[in-house]
Amino acid sequence: MSKRLPDPDEVRSTFARLFADDPEKATAYLYDLGVASGYIETEAVERNIRWTSESAYGTLECTINLSKPEKDPRAIAEAAASPAKSAAAGAHDAVADATEAENRIPSSCSSSDSAPVRSVPRCDLCWENEGFAGSPEHPAKPGLRIAAIELGGERWGLQYSPYAYVPEHCIALSEKHRPMRIAAACFERLLDFADAFPFYFIGSNADLPIVGGSILSHDHFQGGRHTFPLMKAPVERDVALETFPDVRCGIVRWPASVLRLESADRASLCCAAARILRAWQSFSHDACAIASHSPNPSKDGCAVPHNTLNPIVRKMGATYTMDLVLRNNRTDAGHPWGIFHPGDELHHIKKENIGLIEIMGLAILPARLARELPAVQRELVRAARKNRSVAWVQAKLLEQKATAPHASWAADVYARRAAEFLDAGEKSDNEGSTDGFPEPTRRLSPPMQEEVGRVFETILETTGVFKRDETGAAGWNALIEAIRRTDSPRS
């Protein structure tokens, strides 16, 4: 950056002044500052590989992110089980019980007079990351600046994500270091954000391991200037909410299980969402493998909750739209990764938690695929040109480290589409590459793109708590009846 990076107070003051005149001027200022400082690495973002894929639910979006590290959902779950150990190690602790956690953790991670200044930020979202010089266990974030906004009567921050999954990918983060919690107050904050920045979508990851994001220890939302595939999906079944006649409700035609609320009456919309959440949190349905709670002897007999959701808000004109994606994080012997999480057979493409961005139809695939998929494609092209058998292809793929994880899947693709790989083309691994990733990745053949898209479609289908069959329809009916029986929550 050629010019001096303004100090945090100056940035917040400038943002506030611009916001009072025009919120878009304020966000443009903060975003441009992130680009100029190098915090948002636009060149790295442009190297990410992107394509679209048709599905039974509309057009899905796929990206291979070359800078984001791949995380193991079990590591995130372990952090949830022992947050104190995780925090001490500088990892991302994840806490499901918000009340208990707030009793353990000081209420603020900001460097205000009311809280002690910590030498190392508790997590990657703490405001203390601003100007932090870095340490062996917690790298510095040079160029990071956080604007101050108000959500739900609280001071929150607004920053931009260096990974930039979508245009102007932003993060709203609580000034306090406290666990994520999906509740009526969360809906109010999301609606506050939509009122302040109606040109952005805003949503929250779930607050439980397996179905949540990678940082559950710090309350935050994600937003940006993007229309996701989920937002284009139609409502396929209307649901009457008799207590809220001014709120339109319906089941969305989507692989995950989604209820969509629409209303110009913000208060009614928020109350309807709170009622749905309350009903869902206590909902069980054996035929759909949904159990709202499990016993946990290690917590003095307190039951462990499993049902939560992803709330996603956008505002068009005077109308608010809130999508509620139903999530359940239960595991069993047959599904150690999660009953509603991708199984081992899909991990060659994606094993991480399916969070907010992906549940809306944008796949964030790991950087390793930038090397592995071209290697797979190359072998399929060679096999097609030599008319090799499916068995030969699978054996060949198993011989190589880069292709072995994909061998079974790729052999099946070859069995169905060998002829299409004759015209796929082939180049040497690094021809035209400037970043160490094979150039052919930039031109994955249509069959490869389509097949990866199908895997992503299957992954999204695994997250659906109500499958698209008779059993799932019965589950929806039972939940709708439970919603109608649920009293409005007192707030």
Side-chain angles (χ1 to χ4, degrees), residues 96 139 315:
K315 186 179 182 183

Side-chain angles (χ1 to χ4, degrees), residues 64-82:
I64 298 176
N65 193 292
L66 302 183
S67 56
K68 181 181 179 292
E70 186 173 19
K71 297 180 180 179
D72 191 319
R74 287 180 174 174
I76 298 171
E78 287 177 9
S82 56

Side-chain angles (χ1 to χ4, degrees), residues 227-281:
T227 301
F228 287 85
L230 169 60
M231 299 171 183
K232 303 173 186 176
V235 168
E236 63 180 356
R237 175 185 172 186
D238 291 330
V239 175
L241 300 177
E242 296 177 1
T243 311
F244 306 101
D246 49 358
V247 177
R248 296 183 298 278
C249 179
I251 298 170
V252 180
R253 191 178 190 282
W254 193 245
S257 303
V258 185
L259 282 171
R260 176 168 294 159
L261 306 179
E262 291 183 328
S263 182
D265 187 330
R266 171 181 159 155
S268 290
L269 183 81
C270 192
C271 288
R275 174 177 288 197
I276 291 168
L277 173 63
R278 186 178 177 187
W280 171 240
Q281 286 175 326

Side-chain angles (χ1 to χ4, degrees), residues 50 52-53 55 57-63 161 164-170 199-205 221-234 252-255 258 260 311-314 316 321 323 325 354-364 456 460:
R50 302 174 182 273
T52 58
S53 181
S55 77
Y57 311 97
T59 303
L60 302 178
E61 301 171 0
C62 298
T63 68
S161 169
Y165 297 155
V166 298
E168 298 178 50
H169 181 189
C170 60
F199 44 89
Y200 285 161
F201 83 88
I202 188 69
S204 177
N205 269 305
F221 307 138
Q222 294 186 66
R225 199 185 292 264
H226 190 63
T227 301
F228 287 85
L230 169 60
M231 299 171 183
K232 303 173 186 176
V252 180
R253 191 178 190 282
W254 193 245
V258 185
R260 176 168 294 159
I312 304 151
V313 174
R314 57 197 189 277
M316 298 187 66
T321 299
D323 286 338
V325 187
I354 307 305
L356 172 69
I357 300 297
E358 292 182 306
I359 209 69
M360 294 189 286
L362 170 56
I364 308 298
F456 180 48
L460 289 177

Side-chain angles (χ1 to χ4, degrees), residues 158-389:
L158 179 68
Q159 68 174 68
Y160 285 94
S161 169
Y163 297 129
Y165 297 155
V166 298
E168 298 178 50
H169 181 189
C170 60
I171 302 172
L173 52 150
S174 172
E175 184 183 29
K176 297 180 179 181
H177 180 89
R178 67 184 182 205
M180 296 187 68
R181 188 183 179 205
I182 303 299
C186 168
F187 303 149
E188 291 283 5
R189 296 183 194 111
L190 291 169
L191 290 164
D192 278 353
F193 187 98
D195 280 336
F197 308 101
F199 44 89
Y200 285 161
F201 83 88
I202 188 69
S204 177
N205 269 305
D207 55 352
L208 297 178
I210 298 177
V211 296
S214 59
I215 302 179
L216 302 182
S217 61
H218 198 124
D219 205 0
H220 70 284
F221 307 138
Q222 294 186 66
R225 199 185 292 264
H226 190 63
T227 301
F228 287 85
L230 169 60
M231 299 171 183
K232 303 173 186 176
V235 168
E236 63 180 356
R237 175 185 172 186
D238 291 330
V239 175
L241 300 177
E242 296 177 1
T243 311
F244 306 101
D246 49 358
V247 177
R248 296 183 298 278
C249 179
I251 298 170
V252 180
R253 191 178 190 282
W254 193 245
S257 303
V258 185
L259 282 171
R260 176 168 294 159
L261 306 179
E262 291 183 328
S263 182
D265 187 330
R266 171 181 159 155
S268 290
L269 183 81
C270 192
C271 288
R275 174 177 288 197
I276 291 168
L277 173 63
R278 186 178 177 187
W280 171 240
Q281 286 175 326
S282 61
F283 180 82
S284 295
H285 193 278
D286 290 344
C288 293
I290 299 169
S292 66
H293 293 78
S294 293
N296 185 0
S298 66
K299 282 196 172 184
D300 300 325
C302 294
V304 177
H306 294 303
N307 290 350
T308 184
L309 50 76
N310 295 115
I312 304 151
V313 174
R314 57 197 189 277
K315 186 179 182 183
M316 298 187 66
T319 301
Y320 300 92
T321 299
M322 182 181 292
D323 286 338
L324 301 176
V325 187
L326 308 180
R327 309 299 298 271
N328 177 287
N329 78 338
R330 193 166 70 91
T331 63
D332 62 17
H335 305 85
W337 296 92
I339 295 173
F340 304 102
H341 181 83
D344 289 323
E345 73 280 4
L346 300 172
H347 288 184
H348 67 104
I349 296 295
K350 177 77 176 181
K351 71 176 180 180
E352 295 174 291
N353 293 355
I354 307 305
L356 172 69
I357 300 297
E358 292 182 306
I359 209 69
M360 294 189 286
L362 170 56
I364 308 298
L365 303 177
R368 61 179 171 80
L369 295 185
R371 294 186 177 89
E372 295 173 359
L373 291 180
V376 170
Q377 178 171 280
R378 182 172 57 249
E379 292 303 332
L380 297 188
V381 169
R382 289 173 177 171
R385 288 176 175 174
K386 296 180 179 180
N387 197 27
R388 299 292 192 183
S389 69

